[in-house]
Amino acid sequence: MTVTLHVCITCRAGQTIGEGETTPGKRLHAAILDAGVPDGVSVVPVECLSACSQGCSVALSAPGRWSYVYGRLSEANAKDVVAGASAYAGAPDGIVPWRSRPEIFRKQSLARIPPIAAVPEAAE
């Protein structure tokens, strides 16, 4: 099953961005792609993760798994983000043992969201 790594490309990381300049979020997205995305991980750029006061942010999610939002990231963290996404992809429930997480995922977690329960469709 493929997991999704959402990368906020509109993140400005508290910087004033001039016309034609690349946002820190777009630079993080490019650095993640350059770092090499592991099998089972799909990287999706998104417009906003509503973590604007927390610098650049990413989110990991997959059906039936816990989801996570991480912040205070920069392009320098791309390899750790990829390592964390790979570990997440290997965890059937999305919970990677704490010691197996990259340090940025241990210290820069903004949210942990429970799996969405499947709701049976109403009988017609």
Side-chain angles (χ1 to χ4, degrees):
M1 170 185 300
T2 299
V3 302
T4 303
L5 173 62
H6 306 272
V7 182
C8 179
I9 60 170
T10 56
C11 284
R12 296 174 182 257
Q15 300 174 15
T16 301
I17 306 299
E19 188 174 330
E21 290 184 50
T22 304
T23 63
K26 283 184 182 177
R27 291 195 305 265
L28 173 60
H29 179 256
I32 288 169
L33 295 177
D34 287 346
V37 180
D39 289 338
V41 177
S42 174
V43 178
V44 177
V46 295
E47 294 274 322
C48 185
L49 289 172
S50 290
C52 303
S53 66
Q54 297 297 321
C56 293
S57 58
V58 301
L60 280 165
S61 64
R65 297 182 189 206
W66 284 82
S67 297
Y68 293 86
V69 179
Y70 299 99
R72 300 181 301 280
L73 302 171
S74 74
E75 59 197 285
N77 303 121
K79 287 184 180 180
D80 287 333
V81 170
V82 168
S86 181
Y88 179 84
D93 58 2
I95 301 174
V96 177
W98 193 81
R99 291 184 190 270
S100 298
R101 298 175 194 171
E103 186 174 352
I104 61 166
F105 278 19
R106 285 186 242 150
K107 296 186 175 190
Q108 294 169 212
S109 177
L110 303 180
R112 179 176 175 217
I113 304 158
I116 297 173
V119 178
E121 292 189 35
E124 291 185 31

